[in-house]
Amino acid sequence: AQKEDAAGVLRNLAHNDDNSVAIAAAGGIQVLIALARDGTEGQKGGAALALSNMIEAAPGTHEGVVEAGGVAVLSSLAQEASASDDCKLAAAIALVYLASTCPDLTADDTCLSLLLSRLDQPEENGWRRDSINALLALATSSSACAEQWHRVGGVAALQALARATAEEGVERQAERCDEALVSLGVRRVPPSLKFW
């Protein structure tokens, strides 16, 4: 229980750039990777979310995650048959953030598909929001592969999300979706220019 609580505390602290850098400097990346590999279900999920938050808040921490073997551990967790959906999703989000900060690392189809599956779901514990943010970070990065996004249905999902958020008046998110689509070589037709 203490390790799970510690992973939860690190997850919450890692939302901040300075805290993420401090966690990395104190050897926290190795501890979190060990928990993601060998911990209980709750420890694995908490550790994966903490790593995800660190990479999102302080992109420079990705090097420590890669060097400590985090890609293999998170990939295994995202595909672990006995892992809960939340645990798999946490690992997939961390991997997608890693891919968005490492030009030589690509997100695999499984991770993209896991995150894309959350776009049609109602918000639950922040999973939809976190999935959207990770997907948009990847789509606008130099690591994005338009062919892969088309193959897994990501372009169509981003177009639908852009339309929905524009209609809901969530302008910043609609703009981010449009930026992602342009980055992938796709342009969305703004709702005001449709001819039907």
Side-chain angles (χ1 to χ4, degrees), residues 42-108:
Q43 293 167 357
K44 288 179 178 183
L49 280 172
L51 290 166
S52 171
N53 290 348
M54 287 178 70
I55 298 161
E56 178 187 16
T61 58
H62 75 274
E63 292 171 356
V65 175
V66 172
E67 289 171 6
V71 174
V73 170
L74 292 166
S75 293
S76 176
L77 184 56
Q79 298 176 37
E80 188 175 299
S82 62
S84 71
D85 289 344
D86 286 355
C87 200
K88 290 177 186 179
L89 191 58
I93 289 171
L95 285 165
V96 168
Y97 274 126
L98 271 175
S100 73
T101 59
C102 300
D104 56 340
L105 183 66
T106 58
D108 68 19

Side-chain angles (χ1 to χ4, degrees), residues 3 11 16 21-22 32-33 46 52 69 72 85-86 92 100 114 120 133 145-146 152 159 161 167 186-187 193-194:
K3 289 180 181 180
R11 179 190 71 227
N16 172 288
V21 171
L32 290 167
I33 289 171
S52 171
D85 289 344
D86 286 355
S100 73
L114 276 170
D120 294 333
N133 288 335
C145 172
V152 299
Q159 289 171 322
L161 181 63
E167 290 168 4
V186 178
R187 277 205 144 337
L193 298 180
K194 291 183 181 172

Side-chain angles (χ1 to χ4, degrees), residues 116-161:
L116 289 166
S117 73
R118 296 305 302 185
L119 299 184
D120 294 333
Q121 305 293 319
E123 185 59 73
E124 179 185 328
N125 300 325
W127 287 118
R128 183 175 187 273
R129 178 198 64 235
D130 291 347
S131 295
I132 290 169
N133 288 335
L135 287 166
L136 292 176
L138 179 61
T140 56
S141 75
S142 61
S143 301
C145 172
E147 179 183 321
Q148 179 186 33
W149 280 77
H150 281 284
R151 183 176 60 246
V152 299
V155 169
L158 283 178
Q159 289 171 322
L161 181 63

